[in-house]
Amino acid sequence: MRIRRSITEPIREGATWDERWNAEDDGLVACWERGREKRLEDPSLAAQATGGQLVVLPWKGGVGKAIKKKQKFGTLFYLAMWQGLRGEDLDIDLTEEIVLNCTATGMAVVFTSDMAKYAEA
């Protein structure tokens, strides 16, 4: 299943917790919308993300510094928030793993819906 939402759509106002987190998208739209808000609140962070840095955000997936491992795992919640922070459309296929390389550290991050992969990360 693919979750998509256009950047031209307004951020939802007044949605309940249940509507944000228990809908078919499992909270990905809420994370993406928060990323869009954060883009306005912190333009320097948004600029780093736009430049390809996997900045530290509340979800697993950001890279504060390079570690010995060549790659790590991140959540789709992070990926959704990062897309919003960059001012991009939300576009996540729940059946695929997405690999991104942080331009600041060179670290590869595998974004996955498999919780077992990032639970110990």
Side-chain angles (χ1 to χ4, degrees):
M1 182 165 111
R2 193 169 203 123
I3 306 297
R4 291 184 175 152
R5 195 163 173 101
S6 172
I7 195 71
T8 60
E9 292 186 45
I11 294 174
R12 299 172 295 179
E13 297 285 332
T16 66
W17 188 92
D18 194 53
E19 291 167 336
R20 288 185 180 271
W21 295 101
N22 291 328
E24 190 175 77
D25 65 276
D26 287 327
L28 291 177
V29 172
C31 292
W32 174 73
E33 289 174 336
R34 180 63 189 123
R36 291 175 63 191
E37 292 168 347
K38 198 151 187 58
R39 179 178 178 81
L40 299 174
E41 296 166 7
D42 193 342
S44 65
L45 187 68
Q48 290 174 320
T50 301
Q53 291 184 39
L54 298 174
V55 297
V56 175
L57 296 172
W59 304 102
K60 286 187 179 187
V63 181
K65 62 181 179 179
I67 56 175
K68 289 183 181 180
K69 292 181 181 179
K70 297 285 186 205
Q71 75 175 21
K72 65 184 252 180
F73 291 95
T75 69
L76 296 181
F77 295 128
Y78 177 96
L79 184 58
M81 185 176 275
W82 188 74
Q83 287 178 353
L85 184 61
R86 289 169 51 96
E88 297 177 344
D89 291 348
L90 175 64
D91 188 5
I92 296 176
D93 187 335
L94 301 178
T95 63
E96 293 183 9
E97 290 185 339
I98 298 157
V99 180
L100 296 175
N101 290 305
C102 178
T103 58
T105 64
M107 291 272 316
V109 180
V110 180
F111 294 95
T112 180
S113 60
D114 184 350
M115 289 177 43
K117 290 184 177 180
Y118 60 77
E120 296 178 17

